[in-house]
Every structure is written in C-alpha cells, then in structure tokens.
Amino acid sequence: MKIIMLGAPGAGKGTQAIKIAEKYGIPHISTGDIFRANIKNGTELGKKAKEFMDKGALVPDELTCDLVVDRIHQDDCKNGFVLDGFPRTIPQAKALDTALDKDGESIDHAIDIEVPDQNIVKRMGGRRACLNCGATYHIISAPPKTEGICDNCGGKLTIREDDKPQTVQERLSVYHQKTQPLIDYYKKAGILDQVDGTQPLDQVFSMIEEVLD
Ligand code: ADP
Ligand code: ADP
Ligand code: ZN
C-alpha cells in the first residue's frame, strides 16, 4: 500500500503515519526527519536544508525529489510506504507520479488531515520532539511517560527550532500557498480521503483505518 499524508504543519501527519506504518508493516518516510538527521550529522544536504527550514520556508524541490525517489526504491518499500511531508508542492507530486509510473505503479491513498489554522498555532506550542528517533509528543494531548524523555528511546525531548510562533505562521502561509493545491490534485486523481484532524488522535486513526481497510 502506497500512502501519502497531507495536512498543515502540526495537523498530525507524523503521529498518524507512525501508527499506519506499524499496523500495515510499511516504512514511515518523513522528509522532515531525513532533513533533521542530516542537520544533526552536519552533512552538506543538512547545511543547505537548515537555511530554509529555520525560516519556515520549503527546502527547494531539487534537493528533495531525488532523495525521496531513491528512498522509495529501497528494498523495504517493496510492499509500499507511508510518505509524511512529501509531496509539498505540485512539482514534487509530479516527480513522484513520474517515478512510480516508470515502474507501472501509483499512489493508492492520499490522506488529508484537516485542522484549522487557529488550532495549529495552539498545538505547535506544546509539541516536543525526539531528535534521536523522530517520535513526537504533546505536553497536553500526548505527553511522554516521563517529562522531557522519549518513551521509545530515552532520548531528550526538545522544542523544534521551527515551532516558534512566528515561524509557525510563516509555515502556515507557505502551506496554503504551495501545499494546499495538492488537495485538488489528488481529488482529481480520485484517491483523496479527508479526515477531521481536530478529533482526539485515536479517533483520527480509526477514521484512517476505515479508509484503508
Ligand atoms: P511538520 O511536521 O511540521 O509538517 P516537517 O517535519 O514535515 O514539518 O518539515 C519540517 C521542515 O522541513 C519544513 O518546514 C520544510 O522546511 C522542510 N521540508 C520537509 N519536507 C519537505 C518537502 N517535501 N519539501 C520541501 N521542504 C520540506
Ligand atoms: P505534523 O507531522 O503534521 O506536523 P505531528 O504529528 O507532529 O504533526 O503533531 C503535531 C502536534 O500535535 C504534536 O505535538 C502531536 O503530539 C499533537 N497531535 C497530533 N495529533 C493530535 C490530535 N488529534 N489531537 C491533539 N493533538 C495532536
Ligand atoms: Zn526517541
């Protein structure tokens, strides 16, 4: 099963993608996580990506598309994948379609998690992330067992550099301008499913299971 997650920053894409990956036994591929790992390891890609990410801008398509196309051709993607945070622009969506088309394949489901902007701003203030394993928590709606420590790996939880209120506003405006048009793109392709992301996270997951089963 080949799935992509759509939705504003903070809509819950990562949270749900991890649950989908677990249930359906497919890899969770987050471009944000890949960029953050590159930044942490001080790679050339990481240095370039950081400039854009810190401002709340998108990393250019040239730095993003090939990376994802390579990743989905790895062995563990044979039975599918769940893409989280890619595509984020129409050119990225087209690059993905072209790459899959070459192998006679296509995306099965585009799941759009809908959350209004006002809710997003509130949510982001409480997000805590583990830079070690990519797990995400929320101080109120999804707290870790021990404050400040990742349940998965024991890593230290941090506030993401780009989760400051001002950067969140910028990311939302970039989302509306560049990413929201993808909703129409996948609607036209007949593979779009929209779920109400303001519901508690287990309920959001139930709605996604209904779509996928
Ligand atoms: P969120 O979970 O809040 O949606 P991500 O972790 O997916 O954020 O992405 C963080 C940042 O990484 C983005 O704001 C952007 O700068 C960069 N990024 C991630 N995926 C992409 C992409 N597909 N295209 C361009 N930039 C991306
Ligand atoms: P995205 O990957 O779309 O940026 P995340 O999965 O990182 O979003 O979620 C953003 C924040 O909101 C996190 O702190 C997460 O724990 C929290 N969160 C996710 N889904 C819900 C939900 N349904 N209700 C309340 N909080 C949520
Ligand atoms: Zn962790």
Side-chain angles (χ1 to χ4, degrees):
M1 194 142 46
K2 297 180 202 65
I3 303 166
I4 62 180
M5 307 300 292
L6 297 174
K13 300 181 296 297
T15 301
Q16 299 299 332
I18 289 170
K19 290 162 88 70
I20 294 170
E22 235 168 55
K23 172 163 179 188
Y24 298 92
I26 49 178
H28 164 221
I29 302 172
S30 155
T31 39
D33 284 351
I34 295 173
F35 289 136
R36 281 184 290 276
N38 274 274
I39 292 173
K40 197 175 157 200
N41 296 329
T43 69
E44 266 320 298
L45 173 65
K47 277 179 206 150
K48 286 185 196 153
K50 188 174 189 321
E51 267 178 58
F52 298 94
M53 289 168 75
D54 283 352
K55 288 189 293 201
L58 292 182
V59 178
D61 293 340
E62 306 86 83
L63 295 178
T64 311
C65 291
D66 291 350
L67 181 135
V68 174
V69 169
D70 285 348
R71 180 67 189 86
I72 62 173
H73 281 108
Q74 285 172 19
D75 265 0
D76 63 336
C77 293
K78 267 202 209 101
N79 296 324
F81 47 77
V82 50
L83 278 178
D84 159 19
F86 184 95
R88 260 186 159 95
T89 64
I90 293 280
Q92 289 181 11
K94 288 188 173 159
L96 177 63
D97 281 349
T98 306
L100 290 170
D101 203 41
K102 273 186 196 151
D103 306 325
E105 291 175 353
S106 60
I107 296 292
D108 300 302
H109 295 279
I111 299 172
D112 176 35
I113 307 181
E114 295 181 292
V115 178
D117 287 11
Q118 313 86 277
N119 301 41
I120 296 285
V121 179
K122 273 188 232 151
R123 245 187 221 187
M124 296 303 236
R127 171 153 71 178
R128 298 292 180 271
C130 174
L131 285 184
N132 190 41
C133 76
T136 298
Y137 301 86
H138 190 278
I139 50 173
I140 304 197
S141 61
K145 291 195 182 85
T146 312
E147 196 187 318
I149 305 290
C150 177
D151 292 351
N152 269 353
C153 75
K156 200 169 150 254
L157 300 181
T158 53
I159 300 178
R160 267 168 51 174
E161 193 66 31
D162 57 348
D163 276 355
K164 295 181 188 131
Q166 218 179 339
T167 319
V168 170
Q169 285 298 348
E170 177 58 22
R171 287 161 65 202
L172 276 174
S173 113
V174 169
Y175 167 76
H176 290 299
Q177 202 192 333
K178 304 236 171 97
T179 309
Q180 214 169 14
L182 293 180
I183 294 177
D184 235 30
Y185 181 91
Y186 289 109
K187 200 182 269 172
K188 284 195 183 118
I191 56 167
L192 183 77
D193 284 292
Q194 292 180 295
V195 298
D196 177 1
T198 64
Q199 301 300 312
L201 33 107
D202 288 337
Q203 239 161 291
V204 178
F205 187 58
S206 299
M207 292 187 275
I208 293 176
E209 285 180 300
E210 260 175 55
V211 166
L212 299 179
D213 286 340

